[in-house]
Amino acid sequence: MAAQEVQPSETIAKLKSESEALKTKLEEERAKLHDVELHQVAEKVDPLGQFVMKTRRTLKGHGNKVLCMDWCKDKRRIVSSSQDGKVIVWDAFTTNKEHAVTMPCTWVMACAYAPSGCAVACGGLDNKCSVYPLSLDKNENLAAKKKSVAMHTNYLSACSFTNSDMQILTSSGDGTCALWDVESGQLLQSFHGHAADVLCLDLAPSETGNTFVSGGCDKKANVWDMRSGQCIQSFETHESDINSVRYYPSGDAFASGSDDATCRLYDLRADREVAIYSKESIIFGASSVDFSLSGRLLFGGYNDYTINVWDVLKGTRVSILFGHENRVSTLRVSPDGTAFCSGSWDHTLRVWA
Amino acid sequence: MERVIVSMQDPDMGMKMRNQRLLITVIPHAMTGRDIVDWLIQKYTITEEEALHIGNFLVKYGYIYPLKEPRNLCLKQDETPYRFQTPYYWTSTRWPASELDYAIYLAKKNIRKQGELIEYEKECYNALHKRINHTWDFVVMQAREQLRASKQRRKADRIVLECQEQAYWLINRPPVSRYSDVMLYMWCLPLKNKLCMFVWVCSFVKYCEQYQDHDPIMQGCLPSNPWITDDIMYWNMNSETVTMPTKLRVERWSFSFMELLNDPLGRKELLTYLEKEFSAENLCFWQACEEVRHGEASKIAAKVDEVYKQFLAPGASRWVNIDSKTMEKTLEGIKHPHRFVLDDAQMHIYFLMKKDSYPRYLKSELYKNLLAKAIVPQETKKSVFPFMRRQRHSSPSPALVTQTAEDNGKAKPSAAKANAGTASQI
């Protein structure tokens, strides 16, 4: 080539324009990545048989809409919170109520069980997250031992303990997430990047255990590094608020449920959406999603009172579960995958298996 | 452009195609350059110059390719035969010109006629060989297979297919100029990602298949799902402190190092094994680091100091073998302890265990014996009176157990010792 005879400055200019042209080509190629879809790869996988899941337990006791619930690591206890300010700990297996706390605020939108099983955290319109140690002394007033941990400038939408009882991760209507030390109430790290209310979060089950994902009203799902506070990945394909995010069991992907009536699966390594779970007949938003133990099934609780069960690999709906008499607001699969529990605005919780 | 091509191929108003002679072989469905120009003039009522101009574009973009001199992508207004490119190869079709396919194409050329690759093709071939070296066997095998299959075709078809392919790659892999090595790299990068994409998406299928038998909602569980039969045998058999675990549980430890560590029983077994190997300090160190990372903020300094004394100080009783660079960095960081100061060292030890101790544990007699002795529970027989509900026994609350332990002044209360307490009042 005649490159040697060309002036250096001309070469640079030429190189620059060529690299610009290639940059646009790169973007075009990146867009073309849409040709590898999960359901295509999963064509050879055996389809699922007929699914029979029934309500095995109905937990009645809340006086108003159930907003949130979480399982205890012992696989049978759950904590649930409702609009009337009540937080109840149940042994879901026997349906007995074991503890009850009345919060000073209404709309307790978030609650979580501590990994040790010795405490619960909850919060909502009080803009705080409080931790209550569970005492079995019936006479003891749980509220007295309450520890105020997190302080936000708007409502608390979700909370979760990290690997121990000592740290809590919270998300709030003020658009931020934060990591707190339970003992001292100290803010360890804050996460800024959402442009609107953050509605949900989930911790990654990865080996290094350092990331979590959050979803918000800005239609974005962000993946954060807990150590540095940086947003390391961002996904914006939903058309409305993201109500719920949940990691795939391997930690390589996460699912999201949104008011746009779809659930989507995002692959973290490929950095893009790989599946959409939607149906023309589903027009109400999904409020809550969770995976079965193997990750093959995705359970979604919807605002049309139903629960749709999706085949994660093939993208088809396997089953639709009726039973609740109002919106399903929260849904979690039990730690050993034997059942899942759904909470609804009809004041009840149901355990399905 | 495609609109033009489609109308050209229209059976009634389109081009008349004949069998063209290419040396001695007869190629069906071909046309001459002259024909193409004439048709364009007639159809669009344009001048000869314009028709030639359009025709040239059709060739340059690969919708029509020449049968003679395939490298020369231009329209000759004479008896030179041309053919329509199959839509499969159209640039607009979202068919990715993947690296793998190009490698196979070059390998085929190389095998067919040694030394037929021209300069830039040779460069690409070598670059690809280096880059996707791990799949090179596959590439060569595919190339050989495709050559073998093509030998079985009629000569006419073979020539056509070869020309099609060649034209396609000429369009999609034009010769790159010397100083564009960087750009070739930039261009190939998203293509490499495309290959990885496929692998990543397949991993979900693999994961689901691996865990299917362990998913109680999908496959049921033995002896029975407690929520369905009200029988808690399943939970009792899988509790943390059971003496003999179930086969499924032990099997699961072999899925990943995380699975082994996450199960307290698995962790205990691993510790026993490591003690035999005199490397138990690794696991203890890892556990201590976890406690620093997830513990109370106020206790960090004290815990880090403990870790230093036990595991990192020269001459420590349970000294861990970390590479000097990490050790240096950690010791420096310990002077101002914070939650993540031990992260690097912990990561190093974690991966050491994962790559070395873990695979050996899975091959060890200890693990194999446990797997052989592990229980496969019998399915619970359905009760004679299906309407009679079993009594649902409650279990001791984890909070209660911890409280009792604390009252007894025990050092470290652990969660849910299901075997310990008796069933509390219902």
Side-chain angles (χ1 to χ4, degrees):
Chain A
M1 295 249 40
Q4 295 99 333
E5 293 154 16
V6 178
Q7 291 300 329
S9 54
E10 282 178 26
T11 321
I12 290 172
K14 198 165 180 204
L15 269 169
K16 218 172 170 188
S17 64
E18 277 199 56
S19 80
E20 285 301 317
L22 272 146
K23 252 188 225 163
T24 31
K25 184 120 201 232
L26 253 163
E27 277 314 303
E28 280 170 20
E29 292 293 320
R30 192 174 188 232
K32 281 194 197 161
L33 277 173
H34 278 280
D35 49 21
V36 184
E37 300 286 351
L38 180 53
H39 65 90
Q40 292 168 324
V41 167
E43 254 160 46
K44 300 236 174 84
V45 178
D46 286 336
L48 295 171
Q50 265 298 81
F51 247 88
V52 179
M53 285 193 83
K54 295 193 201 150
T55 305
R56 306 287 173 177
R57 303 284 191 277
T58 309
L59 304 177
K60 299 192 185 151
H62 276 292
N64 212 319
K65 309 181 171 75
V66 176
L67 301 174
C68 187
M69 58 88 37
D70 191 17
W71 288 89
C72 175
K73 284 237 158 76
D74 77 348
K75 308 152 196 172
R76 49 189 286 172
R77 283 177 170 75
I78 63 170
V79 62
S80 61
S81 64
S82 76
Q83 190 202 334
D84 61 0
K86 281 249 173 28
V87 175
I88 302 180
V89 175
W90 319 69
D91 177 352
F93 188 69
T94 57
T95 72
N96 290 342
K97 299 184 201 40
E98 292 192 345
H99 303 89
V101 180
T102 310
M103 293 275 286
C105 67
T106 58
W107 286 89
V108 187
M109 291 176 260
C111 63
Y113 223 118
S116 67
C118 301
V120 292
C122 48
L125 283 187
D126 58 350
N127 301 358
K128 291 193 251 179
C129 185
S130 317
V131 176
Y132 292 86
L134 295 174
S135 146
L136 272 142
D137 185 347
K138 296 279 186 235
N139 296 328
E140 192 162 3
N141 184 5
L142 282 183
K145 282 217 179 137
K146 157 178 144 175
K147 203 185 286 188
S148 240
V149 175
M151 294 273 260
H152 278 281
T153 54
N154 210 327
Y155 66 90
L156 192 85
S157 53
C159 65
S160 173
F161 284 89
T162 62
N163 284 22
S164 77
D165 285 15
M166 302 302 155
Q167 293 175 316
I168 286 199
L169 192 58
T170 59
S171 68
S172 162
D174 64 11
T176 68
C177 301
L179 183 66
W180 310 83
D181 176 58
V182 173
E183 198 191 27
S184 61
Q186 187 195 2
L187 172 69
L188 298 173
Q189 184 63 260
S190 69
F191 307 90
H192 298 262
H194 277 287
D197 303 17
V198 186
L199 296 178
C200 50
L201 58 81
D202 191 32
L203 280 148
S206 74
E207 288 182 301
T208 44
N210 270 335
T211 60
F212 74 94
V213 63
S214 66
C217 290
D218 56 356
K219 310 174 200 168
K220 281 205 266 191
N222 291 340
V223 181
W224 307 85
D225 175 51
M226 283 207 275
R227 234 186 106 152
S228 62
Q230 296 294 321
C231 173
I232 49 184
Q233 273 174 290
S234 187
F235 303 88
E236 193 174 353
T237 62
H238 270 295
E239 291 158 22
S240 187
D241 302 0
I242 297 179
N243 296 315
S244 174
V245 285
R246 194 70 61 207
Y247 271 95
Y248 184 81
S250 70
D252 294 325
F254 69 90
S256 59
S258 157
D259 274 346
D260 67 5
T262 68
C263 298
R264 293 171 201 239
L265 186 69
Y266 297 92
D267 185 324
L268 293 167
R269 294 156 302 180
D271 194 31
R272 53 162 276 231
E273 177 191 291
V274 289
I276 303 185
Y277 307 101
S278 67
K279 223 168 144 67
E280 270 188 36
S281 55
I282 301 177
I283 51 177
F284 284 81
S287 62
S288 192
V289 295
D290 203 356
F291 286 99
S292 71
L293 190 139
S294 64
R296 183 69 193 267
L297 300 172
L298 180 69
F299 300 102
Y302 288 74
N303 292 340
D304 63 357
Y305 317 171
T306 66
I307 295 166
N308 287 292
V309 185
W310 300 92
D311 180 334
V312 171
L313 299 180
K314 291 195 182 281
T316 53
R317 186 181 64 188
V318 169
S319 178
I320 178 167
L321 303 174
F322 299 96
H324 278 295
E325 289 158 19
N326 206 322
R327 275 193 198 201
V328 178
S329 53
T330 177
L331 191 155
R332 295 294 295 262
V333 172
S334 77
D336 63 353
T338 47
F340 73 87
C341 179
S342 59
S344 158
W345 281 17
D346 67 3
H347 311 349
T348 69
L349 293 120
R350 283 170 184 252
V351 179
W352 307 76
Chain B
M1 245 187 287
E2 278 164 22
R3 201 167 25 96
V4 175
I5 291 290
V6 167
S7 59
M8 273 177 118
Q9 292 182 301
D10 185 89
D12 302 315
M13 298 298 288
M15 295 213 41
K16 280 200 180 45
M17 292 190 280
R18 312 167 260 238
N19 294 351
Q20 296 290 337
R21 297 208 89 152
L22 182 69
L23 299 177
I24 43 169
T25 326
V26 176
I27 310 284
H29 300 302
M31 56 237 170
T32 64
R34 178 87 238 164
D35 289 336
I36 295 174
V37 175
D38 285 342
W39 187 88
L40 283 168
I41 294 172
Q42 214 236 332
K43 169 91 184 178
Y44 294 107
T45 333
I46 49 177
T47 63
E48 191 170 304
E49 195 184 325
E50 207 176 331
L52 198 57
H53 184 75
I54 296 178
N56 254 307
F57 273 115
L58 292 174
V59 177
K60 280 234 160 26
Y61 276 86
Y63 290 101
I64 298 179
Y65 61 91
L67 291 166
K68 265 197 221 167
E69 284 177 55
R71 272 186 217 296
N72 196 357
L73 290 175
C74 67
L75 185 64
K76 286 208 188 112
Q77 200 185 344
D78 53 16
E79 298 305 304
T80 319
Y82 290 86
R83 244 179 145 259
F84 287 112
Q85 178 63 288
T86 155
Y88 184 61
Y89 280 119
W90 285 1
T91 10
S92 64
T93 324
R94 282 143 97 249
W95 191 76
S98 89
E99 222 169 29
L100 209 56
D101 290 303
Y102 192 46
I104 293 170
Y105 168 69
L106 289 176
K108 271 200 293 186
K109 264 192 126 180
N110 209 16
I111 294 171
R112 223 182 17 230
K113 256 195 214 157
Q114 283 286 353
E116 198 185 64
L117 292 178
I118 56 179
E119 196 54 50
Y120 84 91
E121 277 179 337
K122 275 207 201 111
E123 276 175 31
C124 285
Y125 186 74
N126 290 332
L128 281 165
H129 185 93
K130 235 195 317 185
R131 195 167 29 249
I132 52 174
N133 196 287
H134 49 283
T135 53
W136 204 252
D137 289 331
F138 170 73
V139 169
V140 173
M141 188 195 72
Q142 266 295 307
R144 290 216 179 99
E145 263 305 297
Q146 289 186 14
L147 280 174
R148 196 179 57 79
S150 75
K151 275 199 173 64
Q152 291 171 355
R153 293 203 191 96
R154 282 177 25 219
K155 185 155 188 205
D157 290 338
R158 207 173 349 128
I159 294 184
V160 161
L161 285 164
E162 275 168 19
C163 287
Q164 264 181 0
E165 209 181 20
Q166 187 157 35
Y168 175 77
W169 286 112
L170 270 172
I171 309 287
N172 285 280
R173 285 293 183 130
V176 288
S177 40
R178 238 195 309 147
Y179 53 78
S180 299
D181 281 338
V182 170
M183 298 169 196
L184 181 68
Y185 173 77
M186 276 175 74
W187 199 59
C188 286
L189 203 59
L191 298 175
K192 180 176 110 171
N193 282 349
K194 226 172 276 189
L195 209 63
C196 295
M197 240 328 266
F198 191 73
V199 171
W200 292 326
V201 171
C202 283
S203 73
F204 296 123
V205 177
K206 245 183 70 183
Y207 188 93
C208 288
E209 275 175 5
Q210 189 179 43
Y211 280 84
Q212 186 160 314
D213 289 337
H214 298 253
D215 189 338
I217 291 181
M218 289 203 44
Q219 303 279 104
C221 55
L222 296 172
S224 68
N225 189 324
W227 298 101
I228 300 177
T229 59
D230 292 347
D231 172 30
I232 60 171
M233 271 291 273
Y234 178 72
W235 286 332
N236 289 343
M237 293 181 103
N238 285 296
S239 77
E240 277 180 28
T241 51
V242 77
T243 32
M244 187 50 63
T246 62
K247 226 188 191 75
L248 274 181
R249 185 175 177 181
V250 180
E251 219 175 68
R252 205 164 150 178
W253 299 344
S254 68
F255 290 173
S256 73
F257 191 37
M258 274 307 283
E259 287 286 353
L260 181 62
L261 284 184
N262 280 342
D263 187 343
L265 195 64
R267 213 186 279 198
K268 213 175 83 176
E269 286 293 308
L270 180 66
L271 189 66
T272 315
Y273 174 73
L274 290 177
E275 272 162 5
K276 291 206 178 119
E277 301 257 308
F278 303 106
S279 53
E281 66 274 1
N282 287 342
L283 186 57
C284 299
F285 174 70
W286 179 83
Q287 218 150 305
C289 291
E290 283 286 285
E291 278 170 35
V292 170
R293 244 184 355 143
H294 298 288
E296 298 103 312
S298 57
K299 298 201 179 139
I300 289 180
K303 282 188 183 166
V304 170
D305 193 48
E306 261 303 305
V307 168
Y308 171 74
K309 285 205 192 92
Q310 265 206 340
F311 300 100
L312 298 172
S317 56
R318 316 186 78 182
W319 193 79
V320 281
N321 194 358
I322 308 175
D323 69 286
S324 51
K325 196 160 148 228
T326 314
M327 180 67 96
E328 215 180 285
K329 193 168 163 212
T330 310
L331 291 177
E332 191 55 43
I334 285 181
K335 295 185 185 154
H336 307 279
H338 58 89
R339 189 173 295 274
F340 305 111
V341 72
L342 295 169
D343 268 13
D344 288 339
Q346 184 186 17
M347 189 89 72
H348 179 91
I349 292 293
Y350 178 84
F351 281 107
L352 188 70
M353 286 196 288
K354 182 178 172 185
K355 293 280 187 258
D356 183 45
S357 315
Y358 175 60
R360 282 190 295 114
Y361 167 66
L362 291 180
K363 296 199 190 100
S364 71
E365 287 304 313
L366 191 67
Y367 178 73
K368 288 195 184 140
N369 284 342
L370 190 62
L371 189 60
K373 283 194 274 177
I375 307 172
V376 178
Q378 284 252 323
E379 188 175 354
T380 310
K381 287 199 172 56
K382 294 220 162 66
S383 63
V384 179
F385 302 99
F387 299 108
M388 193 140 93
R389 208 220 280 173
R390 268 179 228 252
Q391 195 165 45
R392 294 172 181 170
H393 293 281
S394 62
S395 71
S397 163
L400 170 68
V401 174
T402 321
Q403 227 171 34
T404 330
E406 271 174 10
D407 292 340
N408 293 348
K410 284 221 182 81
K412 266 207 178 108
S414 58
K417 270 201 164 75
N419 283 357
T422 48
S424 55
Q425 72 284 3
I426 292 167

